[in-house]
């Protein structure tokens, strides 16, 4: 079945990027001239997704405003002859059919994804973590969809993480299949000891899930950090039918981390057609004095 639906969980508290996220959702943190979540929606659309559910909570209303029309602003842009900006602003509201639902309590990523049950129905669907921006020529979400279509199994985006950091992430048991594809048969969220580490491959930012995940989530107790972990539910799938791990191409920026937000700003600005050149010259000037 074709994957046309995506879920973007964006209801986390963003405690690692405070105070920026005291009143503003971390998914709205700006990278150059767009909020992080717009890059993520664009990646989904470029992967063939037509319907997107964004999981929000209290205080995240500006995410809805960003993907809505803005008549007063649009009128002003037309009146002042700024037609290019007008086109760009209007196109944001036409990217996809975007829906919103609230996660009423912040009980973890697994709990957030479970809020998507009635939107998803009985179809496979993509999950794009709302604080992970991935930039690349071949959209990461699309790479996972292709793996799902080829093997008929759920697919997770994976990357090797440094040994001293695996304790902050999930750790996957994998066997190489072909090219950048792996068969994953077990996983653990935030391993506590060296012995519990299955490999340095971790799930980072994206997955394509089958709808049987919802019944599994219903029966998943709180795990690491007292939260209902998506990894714990995916583990059941991995152990029973197996999951495909996709070591996707593209650079991931963690917008839930202060250093990650700085890396995103610098690297994405350098790629910007208008700002890239003057920004590169500016950086060369200050790097000389570091
Ligand atoms: P994180 O664990 O990075 O989000 O979840 P967080 O809770 O905001 O992080 P801290 O407070 O800085 O440690 C990854 C993604 O899952 C969403 C987040 O918004 C983020 O996009 N999430 C997390 C939810 O939607 N609901 C939750 O209950 C937890």
């Amino acid at each position: 079945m074709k994957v046309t639906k995506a879920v973007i969980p964006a209801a986390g508290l963003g405690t690692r990027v405070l105070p920026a996220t005291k009143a503003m959702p971390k998914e709205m943190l700006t990278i150059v001239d767009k909020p992080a979540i717009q890059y993520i929606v664009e990646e989904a659309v470029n992967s063939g997704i037509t319907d997107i559910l964004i999981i929000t909570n209290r205080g995240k209303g500006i995410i809805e405003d960003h993907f809505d029309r803005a008549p007063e602003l649009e009128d002003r842009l037309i009146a002042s002859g700024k037609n290019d900006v007008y086109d760009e602003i209007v196109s944001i509201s036409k990217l996809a059919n975007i829906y919103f639902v609230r996660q009423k309590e912040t009980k973890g990523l697994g709990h957030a994804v479970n809020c998507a049950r009635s939107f998803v129905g009985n179809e496979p669907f993509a999950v794009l973590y709302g604080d992970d921006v991935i930039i690349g020529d071949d959209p990461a979400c699309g790479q996972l969809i292709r793996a799902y279509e080829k093997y008929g199994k759920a697919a997770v985006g994976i990357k090797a993480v440094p040994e001293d950091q695996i304790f902050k992430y999930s750790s996957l048991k994998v066997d190489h299949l072909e090219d950048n594809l792996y068969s994953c048969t077990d996983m653990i969220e935030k391993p506590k000891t060296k012995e519990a580490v299955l490999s340095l491959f971790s799930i980072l930012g994206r997955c394509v899930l089958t709808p049987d995940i919802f019944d599994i989530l219903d029966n998943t107790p709180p795990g690491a950090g007292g939260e209902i972990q998506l990894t714990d539910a995916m583990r059941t799938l991995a152990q029973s039918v197996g999951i495909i791990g996709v070591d996707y191409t593209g650079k991931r920026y963690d917008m839930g981390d202060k250093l990650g937000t700085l890396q995103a700003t610098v690297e994405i600005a350098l790629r910007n057609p208008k700002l890239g050149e003057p920004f590169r010259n500016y950086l060369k000037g200050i790097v000389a004095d570091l």
Side-chain angles (χ1 to χ4, degrees):
M1 193 183 250
K2 224 170 154 350
V3 183
T4 59
K5 291 181 179 173
V7 175
I8 303 180
L13 297 177
T15 56
R16 286 170 294 145
V17 271
L18 282 168
T21 46
K22 185 180 175 198
M24 192 180 62
K26 65 176 162 180
E27 296 77 13
M28 289 297 289
L29 289 174
T30 311
I31 309 175
V32 186
D33 57 358
K34 290 191 280 193
I37 196 163
Q38 188 180 330
Y39 291 89
I40 296 172
V41 167
E42 286 169 351
E43 178 197 325
V45 171
N46 291 334
S47 304
I49 297 293
T50 55
D51 292 79
I52 298 173
L53 178 72
I54 302 180
I55 316 278
T56 65
N57 60 6
R58 279 172 300 284
K60 305 254 181 176
I62 61 167
I63 300 180
E64 297 187 35
D65 293 344
H66 186 72
F67 292 101
D68 196 0
R69 293 292 295 265
E72 253 183 31
L73 175 65
E74 291 166 17
D75 289 350
R76 180 68 62 89
L77 291 172
I78 288 289
S80 52
K82 294 183 174 156
N83 293 356
D84 289 355
V85 193
Y86 169 85
D87 289 344
E88 190 183 350
I89 294 304
V90 171
S91 70
I92 299 170
S93 62
K94 294 183 178 165
L95 280 167
N97 302 316
I98 302 186
Y99 307 86
F100 298 88
V101 70
R102 283 189 179 210
Q103 182 190 16
K104 294 188 181 106
E105 290 173 277
T106 313
K107 287 186 176 174
L109 181 58
H111 182 262
V113 169
N114 211 8
C115 298
R117 187 193 267 263
S118 60
F119 164 79
V120 167
N122 201 25
E123 296 178 31
F125 64 105
V127 180
L128 298 93
Y129 300 12
D131 56 355
D132 276 320
V133 170
I134 303 175
I135 303 293
D137 294 334
D138 186 10
C141 178
Q143 296 176 45
L144 267 65
I145 292 175
R146 292 201 298 273
Y148 162 78
E149 284 168 350
K150 181 163 184 189
Y151 288 91
K153 291 181 184 179
V156 288
I158 63 172
K159 288 273 173 208
V161 303
E163 203 171 347
D164 59 337
Q165 291 192 24
I166 189 71
F167 304 100
K168 293 196 289 184
Y169 297 92
S170 58
S171 170
L172 274 56
K173 182 170 186 250
V174 289
D175 291 300
H176 187 239
L177 279 173
E178 53 170 321
D179 303 327
N180 60 343
L181 301 183
Y182 294 79
S183 154
C184 167
T185 48
D186 201 1
M187 58 182 73
I188 179 168
E189 180 66 27
K190 298 188 178 60
K192 286 205 180 85
T193 59
K194 266 191 172 169
E195 293 68 43
V197 173
L198 300 168
S199 79
L200 294 180
F201 274 118
S202 184
I203 299 171
L204 291 183
R206 305 286 179 265
C207 48
V208 170
L209 296 171
T210 45
D212 43 346
I213 197 76
F214 294 113
D215 282 345
I216 301 172
L217 279 168
D218 279 345
N219 294 304
T220 301
E227 299 195 326
I228 297 177
Q229 297 288 350
L230 184 60
T231 311
D232 291 343
M234 291 195 287
R235 180 172 191 236
T236 305
L237 274 188
Q239 289 177 334
S240 54
V241 289
I243 283 184
I244 305 300
V246 183
D247 186 1
Y248 56 81
T249 59
K251 179 92 190 266
R252 166 185 169 266
Y253 301 100
D254 183 359
M255 295 300 289
D257 174 78
K258 289 182 185 177
L259 189 59
T261 62
L262 292 171
Q263 289 163 343
T265 299
V266 171
E267 294 186 27
I268 295 173
L270 284 171
R271 289 165 177 248
N272 187 281
K274 282 193 187 140
L275 293 167
E277 200 47 42
F279 186 57
R280 179 170 285 103
N281 291 336
Y282 164 74
L283 281 184
K284 279 181 183 162
I286 59 164
V287 163
D289 292 334
L290 284 181

